[in-house]
């Protein structure tokens, strides 16, 4: 039996639902007997049946002494659904092939132990690298209780995001801008500073209507976000605005009269980035795409609160010492303290280039 082949099918099933299962991970499962697939499934949405259960319901009695391939260790606890391990045991599955160990503290090896205790043969380590790459955001969230942070910038070949007059429309071409919407749908939330809202009045949604829009997070110390801005009144997605303690209750109530707007007040007269991330992580946001502006990117850089960097580079030259750069703020004082990243992918999109790098460690 070709374990790599059948696990590859399970992985493709998991990838097909990658954008719709948060805060749960996307999981694929395949049941094989006599070298034939008799059941398959993918976890479609948080709170709904897990991939293993869907596959078992398809296979029914044919699952007796079959082999189950699943990208992530089966759960062994009762959450919104029952334990998958119990169903696997009840169906008399003979062998389970697991792609990756779950980092969720409620599972993390206990699912495998429970299956082995029931006499089921368990194999691990099949396509693990490819599968764990799929779960990088979920595993980071499980291990740190903080969202996975991606910094996204678009700049010219000489590292500028706008001319000295502030003209920035458009740095990159339409294909690259379209690709940004694909990145948005891979994250639970989009984060910007109030400066971006004031300058551009963005919607911070994605163009793929079949996918839910991310939560919109605005860092706005003095609550200057206009009531007429798209993120307040368009009702396309929840908007969370973080403000300082000096903002009056009356002003906050005015914003929260809009159905999907939530104002979160810090207990100090500034926006504490760590507390912001702890708050959103505690409310089920597993990943955040930070779209700026330059000062916001600077805060994430100096604090070290980022995991991935996506850079769209346009083959244009602007020049000028007064032209804006993608990351501002205080910056790093000594080169030895610079953040080191590993380049994962480089590709051409239209006339532009897209580079994805991941922070080491």
């Amino acid at each position: 039996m070709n374990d790599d082949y059948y696990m590859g099918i399970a992985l493709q099933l998991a990838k097909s639902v990658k954008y719709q299962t948060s805060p749960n991970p996307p999981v694929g499962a395949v049941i094989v007997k006599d070298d034939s697939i008799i059941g398959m499934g993918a976890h479609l949405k948080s709170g709904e049946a897990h991939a293993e259960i869907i596959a078992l319901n398809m296979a029914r009695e044919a699952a007796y002494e079959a082999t189950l391939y699943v990208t992530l260790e089966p759960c062994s606890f009762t959450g919104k659904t029952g334990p998958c391990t119990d169903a696997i045991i009840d169906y008399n599955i003979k062998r389970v092939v697991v792609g990756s160990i779950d980092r969720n503290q409620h599972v993390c090896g206990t699912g495998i132990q429970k299956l082995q205790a029931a006499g089921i043969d368990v194999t691990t380590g099949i396509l693990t690298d490819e599968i764990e790459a799929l779960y990088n955001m979920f595993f980071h969230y499980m291990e740190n209780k903080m969202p996975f942070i991606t910094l996204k910038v678009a700049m010219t070949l000489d590292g500028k995001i706008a001319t000295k007059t502030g003209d920035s429309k458009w740095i990159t071409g339409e294909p690259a801008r379209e690709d940004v919407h694909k990145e948005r749908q891979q994250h639970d939330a989009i984060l910007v500073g109030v400066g971006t809202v004031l300058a551009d009045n963005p919607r911070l949604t994605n163009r793929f209507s079949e996918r839910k829009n991310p939560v919109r997070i605005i860092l706005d110390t003095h609550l200057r976000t206009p009531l007429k801005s798209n993120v307040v009144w368009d009702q396309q997605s929840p908007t969370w605005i973080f403000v300082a303690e000096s903002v009056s209750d009356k002003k906050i109530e005015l914003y929260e009269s809009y159905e999907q707007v939530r104002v979160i007040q810090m207990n100090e007269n500034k926006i504490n980035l760590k507390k912001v991330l702890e708050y959103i992580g505690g409310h089920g946001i597993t990943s955040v795409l930070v779209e700026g502006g330059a000062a916001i990117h600077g805060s994430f850089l100096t604090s070290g609160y980022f995991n991935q960097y996506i850079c769209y580079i346009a083959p244009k030259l602007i020049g000028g010492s007064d032209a804006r750069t993608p990351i501002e703020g205080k910056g790093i004082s000594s080169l030895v303290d610079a953040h080191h990243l590993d380049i994962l992918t480089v590709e051409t999109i239209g006339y532009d280039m897209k580079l994805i790098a991941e922070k080491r460690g």
Side-chain angles (χ1 to χ4, degrees), residues 61-78:
E61 62 273 5
Y64 179 77
E65 292 196 342
T67 296
L68 167 67
Y69 293 84
V70 61
T71 54
L72 190 66
E73 177 183 8
C75 65
S76 56
F77 68 99
T78 300

Side-chain angles (χ1 to χ4, degrees), residues 184 190 192 202-206 213-214 216-218 231 291:
R184 286 179 176 181
I190 298 174
V192 300
R203 294 189 180 277
L204 302 181
T205 55
N206 73 67
N213 283 315
R216 301 175 291 198
I217 298 173
I218 316 298
V231 295
E291 294 204 12

Side-chain angles (χ1 to χ4, degrees), residues 120-141:
I120 296 174
D121 179 24
V122 178
T123 300
T124 59
I126 306 299
L127 301 187
T128 299
D129 289 344
E130 297 94 321
I131 290 171
E132 294 199 343
L134 175 67
Y135 295 136
N136 63 338
M137 293 183 182
F138 173 71
F139 285 166
H140 173 83
Y141 179 72

Side-chain angles (χ1 to χ4, degrees), residues 191-195 217-221 240 242 271 273 276 296 300:
L191 185 149
V192 300
V194 66
I217 298 173
I218 316 298
L219 304 188
D220 185 1
T221 305
W240 298 359
F242 285 83
I271 303 296
L273 197 53
V276 168
I296 294 295
F300 276 89

